[in-house]
Amino acid sequence: MSRPIARLAVPALAAVMLAACSGAAPSPSPEPTPPAEAKVLLRVSQVQALPPQATFGSLPQVVITLDGKVLMGGAVPAIFPGPLVMPIFERQLTPAGWGKIVAAARAAGLLSGQNDFTDGQMPPGSMATRLEIVADGRLYELTGDASRIMVCITTPCVPQPGTPEAFGGFVSAVTGLDALVGADIGRDNAYVPAGYAMVVGPPPDQQGPDQPPMAWPFADGFAAFGKPLADGSGGRCGTIIGDAAAALRPALGAANQLTRWRDPTDGSFHGLTVRVLLPGDGDLCEGLV
């Protein structure tokens, strides 16, 4: 698996895989008129022509939600095995901060109607960057090469608008943000996701000392989770949200990439690849089941 408990008193999995409802009113969007099809204000992700299972655990570099929360991955200790679930942190962006981001995109020539900023020079199979951004009531979906950063000996160092270097410079700015928005962004807080998408596969090879196994905390076992993988491997892919996600979260936080999970129905061991669900995600099991 690439990335890759005491038994909990939890109802059958099929009965708890429902989203938890909240009565709290959502925060207003810093974008005055986001279009109906927009799920987030901004999303930067890497795209590459790889099988879906190879990219299943990949996270976007940054997501800005409709209510202005900036979601980014947090740092983890450089040790092996690493955590099973990568930490995500959130920061609240002000409307003024969002205005600075849109102004930077406009200055970089990214809102002119051009969609491809690769300059036709990316070799087949290479990794590109996908940028989704809402501005002026419209959703822009752009592709470029984030590695094309303008290098200057003297300042000012401003790439020509609409060039691959302008695209790369903007992506670099929004994946850092502090220099771009200044005081218009709050401090880090741990992000608690609504749920998790997971691929169940064979138990990971134990490299070094064996890792203590954990018990899958749902009485129905893995056979009741998600749907079988289309490749016939016997693995499964599915999503856990709401109360079930809350019940599983402590165990996921204690697990690492080499953790083996024991099925309560037959005692068999399995490995998990886990992907935090983020706003704007589609069906992460699409193409796998």
Side-chain angles (χ1 to χ4, degrees):
M1 304 297 290
S2 60
R3 294 180 63 75
I5 296 182
R7 185 183 302 272
L8 302 177
V10 179
L13 184 59
V16 293
M17 289 180 61
L18 298 174
C21 298
S22 172
S27 300
S29 172
E31 176 72 24
T33 54
E37 69 271 22
K39 306 302 182 184
V40 294
L41 293 181
L42 182 142
R43 183 182 180 102
V44 176
S45 53
Q46 302 299 318
V47 292
Q48 192 173 13
L50 292 173
Q53 193 158 346
T55 59
F56 178 83
S58 299
L59 286 163
Q61 291 175 274
V62 58
V63 171
I64 301 180
T65 66
L66 292 176
D67 58 355
K69 289 184 174 61
V70 179
L71 308 180
M72 292 186 182
V76 296
I79 57 174
F80 181 82
L84 179 63
V85 181
M86 300 301 293
I88 303 293
F89 290 89
E90 67 177 26
R91 305 172 71 184
Q92 184 64 51
L93 185 69
T94 68
W98 175 247
K100 292 176 181 178
I101 293 173
V102 172
R106 184 171 288 112
L110 305 186
L111 308 181
S112 64
Q114 177 183 347
N115 296 323
D116 189 340
F117 294 87
T118 63
D119 202 24
Q121 297 183 13
M122 297 190 69
S126 59
M127 183 177 293
T129 298
R130 178 179 175 84
L131 169 64
E132 301 162 67
I133 182 171
V134 171
D136 307 321
R138 174 181 169 184
L139 173 62
Y140 294 81
E141 299 178 274
L142 315 175
T143 302
D145 182 358
S147 68
R148 295 276 293 272
I149 303 294
M150 190 172 185
V151 178
C152 306
I153 298 176
T154 60
T155 57
C157 186
V158 181
Q160 183 72 21
T163 60
E165 289 76 15
F167 178 94
F170 177 79
V171 169
S172 177
V174 297
T175 53
L177 265 191
D178 288 85
L180 178 60
V181 302
D184 287 308
I185 190 169
R187 295 184 177 182
D188 281 341
N189 291 293
Y191 175 69
V192 180
Y196 307 89
M198 297 188 291
V199 170
V200 181
D205 294 334
Q206 298 299 290
Q207 304 171 36
D210 283 356
Q211 304 297 312
M214 287 189 167
W216 180 247
F218 303 108
D220 289 346
F222 287 115
F225 173 71
K227 297 179 180 179
L229 298 181
D231 61 9
S233 64
R236 304 184 71 85
C237 184
T239 301
I240 290 184
I241 57 178
D243 291 343
L248 185 58
R249 188 170 293 123
L252 293 179
N256 62 46
Q257 294 168 313
L258 301 184
T259 296
R260 296 164 296 155
W261 295 80
R262 183 187 300 111
D263 191 309
T265 63
D266 60 11
S268 60
F269 288 100
H270 304 266
L272 298 180
T273 300
V274 182
R275 162 72 152 77
V276 170
L277 292 181
L278 297 174
D281 281 340
D283 181 0
L284 297 178
C285 291
E286 184 177 2
L288 294 177
V289 300

